[in-house]
Amino acid sequence: MIETADEFVRLCNSSDPQECRRAAVEEVPAQVWMEIVDRYPEERVAVVQNKTVPLTVLEILIDDPDPRVRFMVAMKRKLSPDLLERLAHDVDESIRMRVAQHRNTSRATLESLRQDPWSEVRAAVDDRLGGTGSDLL
């Protein structure tokens, strides 16, 4: 387990692949996640890439000013339909595209994306819904 924000940052920036892997897969206490997010904004992408990052942290990072962070959040398999609905309104078209492609996106959210300004997002929604939406959970 990673015990401190400084340890996480050191592991993320290590040249040792084993240490980088630890940053990506080891658990981190909730208060340490919040410290990393607050003290090290440049490490927020690494926070999202960690396999154990809790939904409560992802929910905070949905509103990050950096679109790379928001895109990485949109990539997480564990996202709930509610969080995907929030991301569906992002100003960044690549994030809306990822929402259109996400397996947990609700039919209602997909239907709202049918009106997206970017034709590629609309096309992705049409592919997903395919008239019946049978591939949706």
Side-chain angles (χ1 to χ4, degrees):
M1 177 178 275
I2 298 169
E3 301 290 339
T4 68
D6 292 331
E7 178 184 10
F8 181 81
V9 171
R10 181 185 62 75
L11 293 171
C12 287
N13 295 302
S14 174
S15 59
D16 179 352
Q18 291 289 62
E19 288 192 344
C20 292
R21 181 170 166 25
R22 284 187 59 207
V25 299
E26 285 191 19
E27 291 189 22
V28 178
Q31 70 274 12
V32 174
W33 280 130
M34 297 314 302
E35 183 181 350
I36 297 164
V37 167
D38 290 341
R39 285 185 47 211
Y40 300 101
E42 69 279 5
E43 299 299 338
R44 290 177 182 167
V45 168
V47 167
V48 177
Q49 288 176 323
N50 180 283
K51 302 285 186 208
T52 70
V53 65
L55 281 174
T56 54
V57 174
L58 296 175
E59 186 171 2
I60 291 165
L61 294 176
I62 279 176
D63 297 318
D64 196 87
D66 185 343
R68 294 173 304 149
V69 173
R70 298 191 315 273
F71 182 83
M72 293 303 297
V73 170
M75 296 285 293
K76 295 299 276 192
R77 290 183 185 173
K78 66 172 103 179
L79 285 186
S80 68
D82 290 344
L83 295 179
L84 287 159
E85 170 64 29
R86 285 178 54 193
L87 286 166
H89 302 287
D90 200 280
V91 298
D92 188 292
E93 60 195 19
S94 68
I95 295 166
R96 297 192 314 273
M97 174 61 88
R98 184 62 197 119
V99 171
Q101 297 168 335
H102 199 288
R103 69 182 183 174
N104 294 344
T105 301
S106 71
R107 175 179 270 291
T109 300
L110 289 171
E111 291 289 351
S112 73
L113 285 171
R114 281 190 191 261
Q115 307 305 315
D116 195 86
W118 191 29
S119 63
E120 295 296 322
V121 170
R122 295 191 309 268
V125 169
D126 287 342
D127 286 348
R128 283 284 311 278
L129 292 177
T132 63
S134 61
D135 64 332
L136 300 176
L137 297 177

